[in-house]
Amino acid sequence: MAKEFETLEIGVLHGPNLNLLGRREPEIYGRMTLEAIDMRLAAVAEQLGVRVRSFQSNSEGALLDRIHEWGQVVAGFVINAGAYTHTSIALLDALTGVGRPYVEVHLSNVHAREEFRHRSLLAPRAVGLVAGFGVESYVLGLEGLVRWLRRRESEIVD
Ligand code: DHK
């Protein structure tokens, strides 16, 4: 199919403990469930004229496998890697390995929290990072990534 008729597809990845959203420390992470976040993102994606596919796992290996698989079909990723953000060289290597741009997102402002959350192993290679806006971090991350991809596309075409 001609490039201009293809619908961009974005992979949304949620890391460990994000399945607990809604009841997990709501004063930090809010009251929205992961299912509600994914539904919100699907609605935003429709407005943007793109498609999202979402996946959550508590297992680092499952996230790696999904990045390898979806790296073949999606234009980029929005990822909240949860605690793996601060620890996982393997996730960084998978994301850079499949060569797809990604935006890192966090519900909470990680820089206003414990020092061990200040460091992200994913951030240095991310297109951008959004933190601290609750579910809006995902929405802004998705919008930012789609704009970034479209700008890159227009630069290639120009
Ligand atoms: C989510 C987590 O699970 C934490 O481990 C991160 C992130 C922060 C968030 O704010 O979405 O440190």
Side-chain angles (χ1 to χ4, degrees), residues 84-87 92 102 104 106 110-111 116-126 129:
Y84 293 145
T85 306
H86 318 298
T87 62
L92 171 67
Y102 63 93
E104 174 180 334
H106 299 288
V110 281
H111 293 283
F116 60 81
R117 295 185 205 276
H118 298 183
R119 185 179 73 146
S120 164
L121 297 186
L122 309 184
R125 301 292 295 274
L129 193 157

Side-chain angles (χ1 to χ4, degrees), residues 13-30:
L13 298 170
H14 310 280
N17 300 310
L18 294 169
N19 55 312
L20 298 178
L21 287 178
R23 59 200 157 100
R24 173 193 184 197
E25 299 183 274
E27 65 289 356
I28 295 176
Y29 296 108

Side-chain angles (χ1 to χ4, degrees), residues 71-93:
Q72 319 257 359
V73 288
V74 299
F77 292 98
V78 172
I79 179 165
N80 182 354
Y84 293 145
T85 306
H86 318 298
T87 62
S88 180
I89 298 169
L91 273 181
L92 171 67
D93 285 350

Side-chain angles (χ1 to χ4, degrees), residues 82-155:
Y84 293 145
T85 306
H86 318 298
T87 62
S88 180
I89 298 169
L91 273 181
L92 171 67
D93 285 350
L95 288 163
T96 53
V98 297
R100 298 294 182 199
Y102 63 93
V103 172
E104 174 180 334
V105 300
H106 299 288
L107 294 153
S108 65
N109 176 0
V110 281
H111 293 283
R113 300 181 62 195
E114 301 97 325
E115 204 169 331
F116 60 81
R117 295 185 205 276
H118 298 183
R119 185 179 73 146
S120 164
L121 297 186
L122 309 184
R125 301 292 295 274
V127 164
L129 193 157
V130 189
F133 294 101
V135 64
E136 298 308 314
S137 293
Y138 282 94
V139 172
L140 293 166
L142 177 61
E143 286 174 355
L145 179 62
V146 170
R147 283 188 200 195
W148 187 94
L149 287 163
R150 287 186 170 147
R151 192 171 57 236
R152 187 184 66 172
E153 185 69 23
S154 72
E155 281 166 6

